[in-house]
Amino acid sequence: MFSEKLQKAFNDQINAELYSEYLYLAMKSFFEEKHLKGIANWFNVQVQEEHAHALGLYDYVHERGGHVELAAIAKPALEGDSTLAVFEQVLKHEELVTSKINALVDVAEGEKDRAAVSFLDWYVKEQVEEESNVRQLLGTLKLIGDDRHALLMLDRELAARTYVAPVIG
Ligand code: OFO
């Protein structure tokens, strides 16, 4: 039995993942317009990953016989105007998503829904990886500072990132 309370929490998380997709799409556009195609590609992979995260939850709600209720996705807002500022916002955002995933696990535990807790374990681990990747990039960007040549080298490196569909659950 998939409780109403847990179903609502899953639906809220679907919206949070779709917002992440939308936010990263806005960030991709920021870098496209700055002609940093490699960084834009990095965000394009993020967009696809967030879409997969949302669909993983969406499919799970159906698998449990629940109801998916889609809500409006908020307008994404970029908080800074530099590469470093954008990645600082990404880290802050991923930390927020981690806290949302943890809160969702708390609801599943409160409802004693072991299957849902077990399913969400994938998302808990994924957040560790998401935060770690962004911290690594932030460290590199801090080393780069105002060195435009080094930034172009990073841009070339990030152009090679490819999307690999995750196996969720
Ligand atoms: Fe869905 O992991 Fe980022 O937000």
Side-chain angles (χ1 to χ4, degrees):
M1 173 69 191
F2 198 50
S3 78
E4 284 282 331
K5 188 174 175 185
L6 189 52
Q7 176 175 290
K8 161 90 176 68
F10 263 77
N11 276 308
D12 288 348
Q13 191 61 34
I14 290 170
N15 187 263
E17 301 290 347
L18 291 173
Y19 176 76
S20 298
E21 178 181 356
Y22 214 31
L23 177 66
Y24 293 153
L25 199 56
M27 289 174 170
K28 171 180 169 358
S29 171
F30 174 87
F31 289 106
E32 291 279 359
E33 288 164 19
K34 289 206 174 313
H35 307 287
L36 288 165
K37 294 266 179 206
I39 302 180
N41 174 65
W42 189 88
F43 277 99
N44 195 43
V45 173
Q46 285 299 110
V47 165
Q48 290 169 280
E49 285 193 353
E50 299 303 348
H51 190 72
H53 296 169
L55 280 193
L57 298 161
Y58 174 105
D59 288 343
Y60 187 74
V61 170
H62 287 149
E63 199 179 339
R64 294 294 303 275
H67 171 63
V68 168
E69 182 145 354
L70 295 176
I73 303 167
K75 180 178 176 180
L78 267 63
E79 289 166 5
D81 197 28
S82 70
T83 303
L84 188 65
V86 171
F87 276 91
E88 275 168 346
Q89 186 182 350
V90 173
L91 181 58
K92 205 169 81 180
H93 180 70
E94 285 304 330
E95 287 170 346
L96 175 70
V97 172
T98 298
S99 71
K100 285 178 185 286
I101 291 287
N102 289 341
L104 178 56
V105 173
D106 287 346
V107 175
E109 281 176 348
E111 297 297 289
K112 299 194 186 334
D113 193 323
R114 292 198 180 151
V117 171
S118 159
F119 170 77
L120 289 170
D121 202 40
W122 184 90
Y123 285 83
V124 172
K125 291 181 188 137
E126 174 70 3
Q127 282 310 121
V128 173
E129 203 185 308
E130 290 270 74
E131 285 190 25
S132 162
N133 289 343
V134 181
R135 267 192 211 102
Q136 183 61 43
L137 268 173
L138 259 180
T140 304
L141 284 168
K142 281 177 185 158
L143 285 174
I144 286 174
D146 291 331
D147 185 338
R148 294 171 79 83
H149 180 68
L151 180 63
L152 287 174
M153 279 174 61
L154 177 67
D155 187 62
R156 206 169 301 159
E157 186 186 319
L158 297 183
R161 187 185 189 203
T162 53
Y163 173 66
V164 178
V167 181
I168 298 176

